Amino acid sequence: MKSSILTLFLSLILGSSLAHGAVFTVNVGQTIQSAIDSASSGDEIIVNGAFFDEDLIINGKNLTLRKQNLIPEIKSISFNNASGISILEGLKVQQKLNASDSDLQITNVDFGGDLNTTKSSLRITGCDIIGFVLVNRGNLTITKSDIHQNVTINQGSLKLIKSTVDKDVSINHSNNSSGSPTRTIIGQSTITEKLTSKASNSLISYNTIRHSTFDGNATIIGNDFAGRNLEGIGIDLNGTNSRVQILNNRIHGYAYNSNANTSYVCIGIRVGVSTSAEIINNLIYSCFDNHNNGTENTVGIGIFVQSSSGNKILGNAIWNCYVRQGTGSYPGNRLIWAPAFGTLVQNNLFYRQSNDQSSIHVGGGVFAKDTIEGNPKVNPDGTLESTSPCINKGPPDARFNDRDGSRNDIGMFGGHNFIPNGKTTNKPIVLGLDVA
């Protein structure tokens, strides 16, 4: 009996050890590729520092590569046709990483070049990547990382959390290669240039983004869309039969100063023909063309609505959106331009800060209800001064009440969904699509 129990106990220990795979150690003077060739799926390769002038190729096996002491530097690395998840940890890759049909988990790795994957899912944490990141027919998760070029996902989903991208971020398809809907989740991050999301569903919360366009359903909350004098549009909605919520954002700085002919620029938010939007409790300001020459059509607008399918514009403070006119500007030079039917404009604040701004605040046929006028008295952080006319002047319905239960305040801190420290909190932010 004792012998049988001991045999069983030993077999469990051996079985458990074998499940973790073998461990290979590579020191200076040895080659990592030799260890890779000798390893099997599930094995671990530990690399002791130095520069390894190798273009590593891993075919048909999932492996773990991590540093031991000093950070080892590798020339390049490729993964091909590996089931399971391969892990890279604590390394430096001098040039590029390629992967095909191989899922990767990458932690604390610096890349001097690009990451290019096909039919692979990629999870990146704590990395610094000099080149671009391109994922074709796979999903991408980036956490606490810096990307210095474009991030592009084709036929896949993106989750970008607490990271910085110095160029553009593009999610280019509404469905993945299997036909399932894609998702974009971006939280507490900085996108220095343009965000383009054509995902079926997008959740964009508590970020800093220069400008953006969406084609699909979206919730956009608590962001700073800072144009930095960009000739463009802060949030451009172009989806077919899409529904978008734009809540508690600051949208500003889409300004232009040229005598050239312009159109569809210097706009805070554009709602395209086939999209419906709820635009509630935002600050929208400084969207203007400040040059008085040239022809400007559809220029200098806080909110431009082309759709007539159930739009709501409530509790926003809008000012300093105009065209310093030469010729044209139809439609344009208004704080809001929207059709007569299909758009509710109510309980907003309008402010004529510049004499170049038209004294007529709305155009296109829409009627603005229960509007207040005057300086919104907003602090640099977006909060309201104690004497602001925006206090308790937003939508009166209880469902719009502020976090303290009082009536909605006009502006980006109004309502109870907005998290004042949303850009910095480490607590989960739950807003419908996922936990970001």
Side-chain angles (χ1 to χ4, degrees):
M1 178 65 73
K2 290 182 179 179
S3 176
S4 298
I5 293 174
L6 180 60
T7 301
L8 175 61
F9 183 62
L10 288 172
S11 66
L12 289 173
I13 293 175
L14 291 172
S16 177
S17 300
L18 291 172
H20 288 289
V23 177
F24 296 81
T25 300
V26 179
N27 294 306
V28 176
Q30 299 175 320
T31 67
I32 303 173
Q33 187 66 54
S34 294
I36 290 171
D37 295 340
S38 299
S40 302
S41 280
D43 290 349
E44 181 176 358
I45 298 173
I46 297 177
V47 184
N48 206 358
F51 174 64
F52 294 84
D53 189 14
E54 297 184 72
D55 295 301
L56 302 181
I57 299 176
I58 302 172
N59 288 320
K61 59 182 79 172
N62 65 285
L63 301 174
T64 296
L65 275 71
R66 58 167 52 104
K67 75 179 183 72
Q68 185 175 49
N69 294 311
L70 298 177
I71 298 174
E73 186 171 349
I74 300 165
K75 189 175 179 183
S76 70
I77 186 167
S78 297
F79 292 84
N80 302 302
N81 305 309
S83 60
I85 299 174
S86 293
I87 297 172
L88 295 179
E89 185 176 319
L91 310 175
K92 184 174 182 180
V93 179
Q94 187 184 64
Q95 297 180 11
K96 61 186 178 181
L97 179 145
N98 293 325
S100 177
D101 292 289
S102 303
D103 295 338
L104 304 179
Q105 179 177 307
I106 303 173
T107 305
N108 298 328
V109 177
D110 292 342
F111 290 89
D114 307 321
L115 273 67
N116 192 335
T117 70
T118 301
K119 296 176 67 177
S120 304
S121 291
L122 192 59
R123 299 178 65 89
I124 299 170
T125 303
C127 296
D128 187 89
I129 302 171
I130 298 300
F132 63 76
V133 178
L134 173 62
V135 176
N136 291 308
R137 292 177 287 168
N139 299 324
L140 174 63
T141 298
I142 302 175
T143 306
K144 296 180 181 179
S145 297
D146 293 324
I147 317 296
H148 298 284
Q149 294 295 327
N150 295 332
V151 173
T152 305
I153 300 93
N154 295 314
Q155 292 184 290
S157 297
L158 170 69
K159 181 182 285 187
L160 178 71
I161 306 297
K162 293 186 177 181
S163 297
T164 297
V165 179
D166 290 340
K167 298 291 186 179
D168 297 337
V169 174
S170 303
I171 305 89
N172 291 326
H173 298 90
S174 59
N175 294 292
N176 62 23
S177 56
S178 300
S180 299
T182 57
R183 299 191 300 175
T184 298
I185 298 174
I186 301 176
Q188 297 181 324
S189 296
T190 296
I191 299 173
T192 305
E193 295 300 333
K194 187 174 185 180
L195 166 63
T196 300
S197 179
K198 297 183 180 181
S200 290
N201 294 285
S202 298
L203 171 59
I204 313 299
S205 55
Y206 305 99
N207 306 283
T208 298
I209 300 170
R210 191 175 191 192
H211 60 134
S212 62
T213 182
F214 295 89
D215 187 340
N217 298 323
T219 297
I220 304 167
I221 182 169
N223 304 281
D224 184 8
F225 289 90
R228 308 194 313 271
N229 294 325
L230 174 74
E231 179 194 3
I233 300 173
I235 302 176
D236 197 2
L237 309 178
N238 294 295
T240 301
N241 300 320
S242 298
R243 299 187 63 84
V244 180
Q245 288 185 311
I246 302 175
L247 314 171
N248 304 100
N249 302 278
R250 186 203 303 252
I251 304 157
H252 60 102
Y254 299 94
Y256 188 54
N257 187 17
S258 172
N259 60 5
N261 298 331
T262 59
S263 59
Y264 294 100
V265 296
C266 307
I267 299 171
I269 301 171
R270 176 169 68 171
V271 183
V273 174
S274 300
T275 298
S276 62
E278 294 183 353
I279 303 171
I280 303 172
N281 283 124
N282 301 279
L283 298 177
I284 305 169
Y285 58 95
S286 296
C287 302
F288 59 82
D289 182 347
N290 205 35
H291 206 287
N292 60 0
N293 291 321
T295 299
E296 301 95 348
N297 292 314
T298 321
V299 175
I301 310 172
I303 302 173
F304 175 42
V305 179
Q306 297 173 285
S307 164
S308 58
S309 54
N311 302 288
K312 296 179 181 178
I313 302 174
L314 310 173
N316 303 281
I318 312 173
W319 71 94
N320 207 34
C321 301
Y322 64 87
V323 174
R324 192 178 179 191
Q325 278 186 255
T327 60
S329 75
Y330 181 83
N333 197 22
R334 295 290 187 274
L335 299 181
I336 296 176
W337 192 286
F341 301 101
T343 299
L344 173 64
V345 177
Q346 191 166 354
N347 300 115
N348 299 283
L349 176 139
F350 299 144
Y351 177 38
R352 188 170 184 254
Q353 184 181 31
S354 167
N355 290 331
D356 291 308
Q357 178 183 313
S358 173
S359 59
I360 303 172
H361 298 309
V362 300
V366 73
F367 176 72
K369 301 179 181 178
D370 301 321
T371 297
I372 60 174
E373 298 191 27
N375 188 334
K377 296 184 178 180
V378 176
N379 293 312
D381 64 355
T383 58
L384 302 177
E385 296 179 10
S386 60
T387 59
S388 171
C390 296
I391 296 173
N392 296 330
K393 292 297 177 64
D397 294 357
R399 62 194 173 102
F400 296 109
N401 282 354
D402 291 342
R403 297 173 70 87
D404 62 2
S406 63
R407 178 176 169 174
N408 182 283
D409 291 341
I410 292 174
M412 66 178 293
F413 280 82
H416 53 269
N417 292 317
F418 177 66
I419 302 172
N421 65 336
K423 286 193 173 184
T424 58
T425 181
N426 289 318
K427 295 180 179 180
I429 299 171
V430 184
L431 289 171
L433 285 179
D434 202 344
V435 178

